[in-house]
């Protein structure tokens, strides 16, 4: 073969080799892409399987196991005191309350049982015996069920006899108390009774209707509902508005929200979820205030509108709606982060775990954080839970300190625990979508806000203060199920605010409702009068801190409202 032919043959062979190399390269690239796709698919499947397994475990736990975070040790704890004995602590039962502790505020009626006439004669000589003394035998509690009366007001009318001689009709009429609700038999006492049972005791109107029948009369549930809506809108809203005004002046507010349902609301279906928002003052040493606000949605604009003008610390959960607030510092709740670690622990191990609370009556021992070797024996979720419980334990030891000292001690005791926690958290790489993954992401996303409670000694490590108030509404919701109208939901928000604020101020709830309704119809346009009816006034504390009294202070003969 001549040289030219050899060159052509050689070039053809090279081209064929290049073509084969190119084909092999393309196949390798396709193989790499396939492997990458398979790895992604496997990763997604693992996430899905992890999520489904956790969901299945959760369903099994709810069906067959415990459905709350509480452990057996936490359920119905007995009151305890801690006695220090040398190098260990002993938990003992608290002394049982005496009768004087339990009902020492009740009035005492002395009942002397007389000796019968025939027994006053001596059984031996028949002489009339002489009185010596009386001896105490026993005591009992006696209760009188609710008494309902029909009060008919009559107005006296007088005429001047001298003017009458001249044919002139000069008359004078007595002034009757202002009707609570025009053309209605509603009185301050019966409306307060209905409100106390509905809001304070979570007794729905239909059950109250039955109870009224047992007292001998008929009071339809629709009438009771209309009464509460009327007094909420006309009489208690000025109190609510004044409480709202005072809340916005504070430096610290706790916020939360819970669901509710309204059957008849314009532009919304009965099945749609609405919300009852909750705001309460914090541990600032001032008069506590608790306010509820009904809203048809959970939008951030709801909290933004309600707290407009507030500039301070807002303790809340990690819901993004709170990010709408401007010129405030958000303080995220550690209890929410802890709950996610708790839920990531397998159900079998969950039963053995304790969730500590700074207000628990159960004596709590210190938490030892695991060293490197001990950590190998624990699940990551268990370790995360230990860190949270350690912080809760430390908070409990600082509970009785003043705010400034508490802030200083937090820096010394709790800051190192947080630093260790964040360093440990950065070493975790959990499966995305798993419960542990969600717990880690939640904590990392709220790194700054979880730490913000360290900025002020008045802040709390959790938002349990607000959650307890939200629970008060949730208990009632479980009984009445839904609100019939938007007006009813709004009235409930006002009435829950009044009742829970009275409770937080250690007032007799019924007596406070009664006292406000007794006076406010005549003082709606008097700012001084409304101020005297606020839960922090001296008059209210005197009238509403003791026993129920609807007999000495009545509409026709009221105690004068001071300084008005």
């Amino acid at each position: 073969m001549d040289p030219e032919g050899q060159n052509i043959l050689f070039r053809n062979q090279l081209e064929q080799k290049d073509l084969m190399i190119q084909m092999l390269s393309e196949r390798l690239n396709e193989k790499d892409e396939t492997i990458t796709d398979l790895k992604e698919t496997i990763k997604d499947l693992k996430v899905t399987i992890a999520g489904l397994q956790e969901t299945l475990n959760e369903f099994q736990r709810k069906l067959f196991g415990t459905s709350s975070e509480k452990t057996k040790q936490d359920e119905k704890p007995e009151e305890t005191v801690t006695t220090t004995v040398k190098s260990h602590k002993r938990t003992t039962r608290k002394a049982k309350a005496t009768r004087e502790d339990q009902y020492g505020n009740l009035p005492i009626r002395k009942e002397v049982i007389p000796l019968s006439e025939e027994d006053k004669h001596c059984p031996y000589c028949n002489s009339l015996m002489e009185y010596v003394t009386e001896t105490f035998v026993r005591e009992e509690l006696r209760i009188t069920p609710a008494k309902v009366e029909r009060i008919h007001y009559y107005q006296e009318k007088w005429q001047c006899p001298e003017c009458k001689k001249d044919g002139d009709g000069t008359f004078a009429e007595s002034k009757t108390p202002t009707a609570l609700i025009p053309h209605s038999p509603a009185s301050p006492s019966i409306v307060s009774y209905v409100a106390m049972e509905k809001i304070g005791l979570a007794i729905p109107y239909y059950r109250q209707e039955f109870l009224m029948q047992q007292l001998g009369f008929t009071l339809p549930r629709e009438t009771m509902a209309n009464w509460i809506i009327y007094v909420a809108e006309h009489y208690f809203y000025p109190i609510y508005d004044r409480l709202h005004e005072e809340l916005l002046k504070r430096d610290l507010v706790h916020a939360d929200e819970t669901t509710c349902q309204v059957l008849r609301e314009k532009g919304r279906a009965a099945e749609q979820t609405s919300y009852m928002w909750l705001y309460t003052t914090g541990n600032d040493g001032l008069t506590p205030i608790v306010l509820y606000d009904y809203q048809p949605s959970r939008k951030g604009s709801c909290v933004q509108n309600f707290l407009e003008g507030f500039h301070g610390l807002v303790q809340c959960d990690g819901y993004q709606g709170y990010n709408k607030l401007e010129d405030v510092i958000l303080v995220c709740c550690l209890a929410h982060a802890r709950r996610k670690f708790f839920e990531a622990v397998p159900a079998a191990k969950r039963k053995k775990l304790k969730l500590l609370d700074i207000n628990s009556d159960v004596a709590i021992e210190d938490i030892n954080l695991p060293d490197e070797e001990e950590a190998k024996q624990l699940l990551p979720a268990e370790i995360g839970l230990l860190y949270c419980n350690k912080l809760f334990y430390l908070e409990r030891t600082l509970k009785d300190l003043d705010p400034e000292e508490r802030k200083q001690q937090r820096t010394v005791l709790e800051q190192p625990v947080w630093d260790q926690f964040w360093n440990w958290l950065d070493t975790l790489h959990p499966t995305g979508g798993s419960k542990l993954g969600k717990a880690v992401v939640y904590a990392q996303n709220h790194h700054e806000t979880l730490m913000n409670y360290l900025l002020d000694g008045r802040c709390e490590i959790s938002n349990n203060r607000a959650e307890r108030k939200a629970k008060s509404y949730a208990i009632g919701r479980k009984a009445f199920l839904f609100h019939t109208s938007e007006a009813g939901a709004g009235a409930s928000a006002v009435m829950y605010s009044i009742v829970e604020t009275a409770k937080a101020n250690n007032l007799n709830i019924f007596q406070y409702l009664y006292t406000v309704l007794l006076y406010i119809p005549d003082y709606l346009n008097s700012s001084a009068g409304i101020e005297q009816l606020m839960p922090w006034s001296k008059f209210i504390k005197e009238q509403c801190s003791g026993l129920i009294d609807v007999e000495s202070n009545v509409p026709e003969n009221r105690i004068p409202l001071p300084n008005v």
Side-chain angles (χ1 to χ4, degrees):
M1 182 180 296
D2 58 7
E4 183 66 26
Q6 288 179 348
N7 289 336
I8 293 173
L9 179 62
F10 182 69
R11 283 198 300 271
N12 289 337
Q13 289 175 342
L14 286 176
E15 289 176 357
Q16 289 177 356
K17 287 180 180 180
D18 290 341
L19 182 61
M20 291 178 65
I21 291 172
Q22 184 179 353
M23 292 175 63
L24 287 172
S25 178
E26 290 177 354
R27 288 182 180 179
L28 286 172
N29 289 336
E30 290 178 359
K31 183 179 179 182
D32 290 340
E33 290 177 0
T34 302
I35 291 172
T36 301
D37 291 341
L38 288 173
K39 284 182 178 180
E40 289 296 324
T41 302
I42 291 170
K43 184 179 179 180
D44 292 341
L45 287 173
K46 283 182 177 180
V47 172
T48 302
I49 291 170
L52 289 173
Q53 185 62 50
E54 288 178 341
T55 302
L56 177 60
N57 292 340
E58 189 65 19
F59 278 132
Q60 288 176 335
R61 184 179 69 81
K62 288 184 177 180
L63 285 171
F64 306 111
T66 312
S67 60
S68 74
E69 296 179 9
K70 292 182 180 179
T71 63
K72 291 183 179 179
Q73 294 93 328
D74 293 327
E75 293 176 2
K76 299 180 181 178
E78 293 183 350
E79 290 190 64
T80 60
V81 293
T82 300
T83 306
T84 303
V85 183
K86 293 184 179 180
S87 61
H88 70 281
K89 293 182 179 179
R90 178 181 300 160
T91 300
T92 58
R93 290 188 179 183
K94 190 175 179 180
K96 190 175 181 180
T98 64
R99 288 187 176 181
E100 194 63 28
D101 295 330
Q102 293 175 321
Y103 37 83
N105 291 328
L106 296 178
I108 296 175
R109 192 178 87 188
K110 183 178 178 181
E111 195 68 50
V112 179
I113 308 302
L115 191 66
S116 65
E117 290 299 324
E118 59 183 40
D119 289 338
K120 290 179 180 178
H121 291 80
C122 177
Y124 301 105
C125 64
N126 203 34
S127 298
L128 182 64
M129 291 190 281
E130 298 177 348
Y131 175 81
V132 179
T133 185
E134 61 190 31
T135 57
F136 175 80
V137 179
R138 64 184 177 87
E139 75 170 339
E140 66 181 24
L141 296 177
R142 186 176 296 181
I143 189 169
T144 302
K147 180 178 70 174
V148 185
E149 298 175 308
R150 299 173 68 186
I151 306 300
H152 287 192
Y153 282 108
Y154 287 85
Q155 187 179 47
E156 284 191 345
K157 192 171 185 178
W158 291 58
Q159 182 180 23
C160 175
E162 295 302 319
C163 292
K164 183 178 180 181
K165 293 177 184 177
D166 298 333
D168 188 8
T170 302
F171 294 92
E173 297 177 338
S174 59
K175 185 179 180 181
T176 57
T178 303
L180 185 67
I181 301 176
H183 315 295
S184 167
S187 70
S189 61
I190 195 167
V191 174
S192 299
Y193 186 86
V194 171
M196 171 65 183
E197 294 207 325
K198 173 66 161 57
I199 307 299
L201 301 178
I203 302 178
Y205 294 131
Y206 76 91
R207 292 183 190 170
Q208 290 195 55
E209 185 176 2
F210 172 77
L211 292 174
M212 299 299 183
Q213 290 172 351
Q214 302 305 299
L215 295 175
F217 72 109
T218 300
L219 184 59
R221 64 194 74 176
E222 296 82 6
T223 300
M224 289 185 273
N226 289 335
W227 283 356
I228 297 303
I229 292 174
Y230 186 94
V231 299
E233 292 178 347
H234 289 78
Y235 300 137
F236 285 110
Y237 189 79
I239 304 291
Y240 176 94
D241 197 40
R242 178 70 182 87
L243 290 170
H244 188 194
E245 177 186 329
E246 182 65 26
L247 179 133
L248 296 178
K249 296 178 182 177
R250 299 294 180 85
D251 299 324
L252 175 62
V253 167
H254 291 250
D256 198 8
E257 74 287 336
T258 186
T259 59
C260 64
Q261 185 180 6
V262 180
L263 297 186
R264 294 199 293 268
E265 189 170 12
K266 188 176 180 180
R268 289 169 59 84
E271 298 80 13
Q272 285 185 268
T273 300
S274 298
Y275 288 86
M276 190 67 76
W277 291 75
L278 175 281
Y279 307 89
T280 181
T281 51
N283 185 27
D284 55 10
L286 303 174
T287 302
I289 296 172
V290 184
L291 295 179
Y292 295 79
D293 179 41
Y294 167 73
Q295 292 293 337
S297 75
R298 201 190 180 202
K299 293 179 180 178
S301 56
C302 298
V303 64
Q304 186 181 29
N305 293 336
F306 193 89
L307 292 182
E308 184 179 359
F310 174 82
H311 305 290
L313 298 149
V314 177
Q315 297 217 223
C316 55
D317 56 29
Y319 173 51
Q320 293 182 351
Y322 294 105
N323 294 329
K324 285 274 188 180
L325 293 171
E326 299 176 354
D327 298 326
V328 303
I329 297 175
L330 296 181
V331 182
C332 195
C333 171
L334 180 60
H336 280 76
R338 179 179 67 170
R339 192 173 302 152
K340 293 188 179 298
F341 282 108
F342 178 83
E343 291 171 351
V345 176
K349 289 192 174 185
R350 221 178 295 175
K351 296 178 182 178
K352 302 177 183 179
L353 298 176
K354 281 187 177 181
L355 288 179
L356 311 181
D357 185 81
I358 61 173
N359 295 312
S360 173
D361 290 329
V362 178
I364 298 172
E365 297 180 356
D366 194 0
I367 299 296
N368 294 319
L369 296 175
D371 57 28
E372 189 173 344
E373 288 300 317
E374 291 172 334
K376 294 178 181 179
Q377 309 300 319
L378 298 172
L379 296 172
E382 293 177 290
I383 298 174
L385 197 58
L386 284 174
Y387 275 111
C388 294
N389 279 345
K390 177 69 174 181
L391 290 164
F392 271 85
Y393 170 80
L394 293 172
E395 273 297 298
R396 181 165 181 166
T397 65
L398 309 178
K399 182 179 176 182
D400 298 325
L401 301 181
D402 62 74
E404 191 56 40
E405 189 176 359
R406 186 182 300 116
K407 179 183 177 181
Q408 294 173 359
Q409 289 299 312
R410 281 171 172 171
T411 303
V412 175
L413 300 174
E414 297 180 17
Q415 183 69 56
V417 178
W418 277 110
D419 293 340
Q420 191 176 343
F421 171 74
W422 296 122
N423 290 335
W424 167 79
L425 204 67
D426 289 339
T427 66
L428 299 183
H429 303 287
T431 304
S434 65
K435 288 189 176 180
L436 177 61
K438 292 176 181 177
V440 171
V441 169
Y442 183 91
Q444 290 174 334
N445 287 347
H446 299 90
H447 185 135
E448 181 181 352
T449 53
L450 281 169
M451 303 281 288
N452 278 343
Y453 80 100
L454 299 172
L455 299 174
D456 194 313
R458 297 171 299 174
C459 286
E460 298 175 32
I461 197 168
S462 76
N463 197 34
N464 287 344
R465 180 184 293 265
E467 289 197 351
R468 286 193 295 270
K469 301 304 180 183
K471 186 177 180 181
S472 297
Y473 172 78
I475 291 172
R477 180 190 60 202
K478 187 175 181 180
F480 59 71
L481 300 180
F482 53 79
H483 300 286
T484 302
S485 65
E486 185 178 1
S492 288
V494 171
M495 297 308 297
Y496 269 100
S497 301
I498 301 299
V499 167
E500 288 298 321
T501 299
K503 190 190 300 183
N505 283 274
N506 299 315
L507 301 177
N508 183 305
I509 298 172
F510 173 86
Q511 192 70 16
Y512 182 58
L513 295 170
Y514 174 72
T515 303
V516 171
L517 292 179
L518 187 64
Y519 290 93
I520 204 167
D522 295 325
Y523 294 94
L524 275 174
N525 298 319
S526 168
S527 58
I530 290 176
E531 198 63 29
Q532 287 295 332
L533 297 175
M534 299 306 293
W536 51 73
S537 78
K538 182 180 178 182
F539 175 75
I540 286 297
K541 289 180 179 178
E542 290 175 349
Q543 295 296 313
C544 306
S545 296
L547 300 174
I548 293 174
D549 178 16
V550 293
E551 295 182 349
S552 62
N553 197 18
V554 292
E556 59 272 17
N557 189 27
R558 294 182 310 196
I559 298 171
L561 202 59
N563 304 320
V564 178

